[in-house]
Amino acid sequence: MMRGMQRSSDRLLRKLGRKLATALHMQRARYNPHVHLDFEKLRQTLQPGDVLLVEGNARISGAIKYLTQSTWSHAAFYIGDALVTARDDNTNLRLVEVKLHEGCVASPLEDYRGFNLRICRAKALSEEDRAKIVAFMVGKLGLSYDLRNIFDLLRYFLPAPPLPGRYRRRALAFGSGDPTRAICSSLIAQAFQTINYPILPDISENSVSDAARREIYHIRHYSLFAPRDFDLSPYFEVVKPDLEAGFDYHEFVWD
């Protein structure tokens, strides 16, 4: 009897959770990227192992940008043609990303055409380690978020939760039974930690305040990495497709 009631309760919570997650990922009607991005140059510049930061326009994006105090609300991991089969087009390049309503999925790069994007690349990554982290991410496909955690989802409906700055980042993982399923950047951080690749710097005892030191030590666990940490990391370089393609300002055409 009790088991039957528990199963019914779980089904109800998952159904409600799916509706909440879908609502959080609904795209807002008005979105204008700040700059024009040559998507073909982006496609040619990306390398497997790159982290692609996205300024999203979904409802959840606003909450994440507020909680992390950053323009980047989403992170995806580029795997290139790792999943391309003989039947696929060679341009069918993929990202591995985590979405609340779908879990860990492989998405076409084309999904982010027209968004503000930033490529963050781990410096001096060996081909062996690159293959390891790509395999790790591919191996996580199908991982799903436990949609029974209704309170985990409800917190994203508050565009500006009344939290002190030092607690905002921690709110991203609050209540999550499995941190790797909480936000997009957590799984990517875990992948790099499997090869002992640093994301945030080591902190010397005299370089920062006590409050800042506690915060940085705390977020070293993969569950609390945010998209902007790959942008801020001194061990990831920001790669800009126009510059990589050999930009010459003398050839710039002004109106």
Side-chain angles (χ1 to χ4, degrees):
M1 179 71 173
M2 291 297 295
R3 289 184 179 179
M5 292 177 63
Q6 182 63 45
R7 285 196 293 268
S8 297
S9 175
D10 286 348
R11 283 196 296 269
L12 179 61
L13 288 174
R14 288 195 183 95
K15 184 176 180 180
L16 178 58
R18 279 194 294 272
K19 289 184 177 180
L20 291 174
T22 300
L24 283 170
H25 278 273
M26 289 183 64
Q27 303 294 310
R28 299 183 186 275
R30 295 181 180 179
Y31 174 78
N32 294 310
H34 298 304
V35 295
H36 170 72
L37 177 68
D38 190 321
F39 200 76
E40 292 310 311
K41 286 183 180 177
L42 175 85
R43 189 194 302 274
Q44 295 165 13
T45 303
L46 279 165
Q47 297 178 6
D50 285 350
V51 179
L52 188 67
L53 303 183
V54 183
E55 182 191 50
N57 68 330
R59 185 166 191 171
I60 192 174
S61 302
I64 292 177
K65 283 189 278 189
Y66 172 79
L67 291 170
T68 61
Q69 295 296 283
S70 171
T71 188
W72 308 114
S73 62
H74 185 64
F77 184 89
Y78 183 69
I79 61 170
D81 60 359
L83 296 177
V84 171
T85 67
R87 293 177 298 174
D88 289 327
D89 190 303
N90 288 333
T91 62
N92 190 24
L93 305 177
R94 295 280 169 174
L95 301 164
V96 172
E97 58 183 336
V98 176
K99 300 179 179 179
L100 287 181
H101 64 313
E102 295 182 80
C104 186
V105 296
S107 305
L109 179 61
E110 191 71 22
D111 282 0
Y112 292 109
R113 183 186 288 271
F115 285 82
N116 288 320
L117 304 171
R118 171 162 291 175
I119 301 172
C120 294
R121 178 171 298 162
K123 192 68 175 176
L125 195 65
S126 70
E127 289 305 314
E128 179 182 2
D129 282 345
R130 188 191 310 276
K132 286 180 181 178
I133 57 175
V134 168
F136 176 91
M137 293 298 291
V138 170
K140 294 298 181 181
L141 289 172
L143 181 72
S144 60
Y145 186 81
D146 188 352
L147 293 175
R148 293 174 301 175
N149 294 330
I150 301 300
F151 288 104
D152 282 6
L153 298 172
L154 287 175
R155 70 184 184 270
Y156 291 117
F157 282 91
L158 295 173
L163 292 170
R166 64 182 180 276
Y167 294 124
R168 287 173 188 166
R169 180 194 292 266
R170 299 181 191 186
L172 288 172
F174 174 75
S176 299
D178 185 346
T180 63
R181 306 179 188 190
I183 57 173
C184 50
S185 47
S186 298
L187 193 63
I188 300 174
Q190 189 180 10
F192 280 101
Q193 287 185 354
T194 63
I195 61 168
N196 294 320
Y197 192 92
I199 300 173
L200 288 179
D202 291 329
I203 301 301
S204 64
E205 289 301 313
N206 298 320
S207 62
V208 292
S209 67
D210 288 341
R213 187 182 303 113
R214 285 196 300 271
E215 176 70 3
I216 291 172
Y217 281 146
H218 185 68
I219 64 174
R220 279 180 174 172
H221 189 271
Y222 62 80
S223 66
L224 288 180
F225 277 94
R228 77 164 187 172
D229 292 328
F230 297 98
D231 189 9
L232 296 177
S233 172
Y235 307 113
F236 281 75
E237 63 177 336
V238 173
V239 180
K240 299 190 175 182
D242 279 321
L243 301 184
E244 292 292 307
F247 173 71
D248 182 354
Y249 72 91
H250 294 100
E251 297 178 357
F252 201 88
V253 179
W254 296 93
D255 185 359

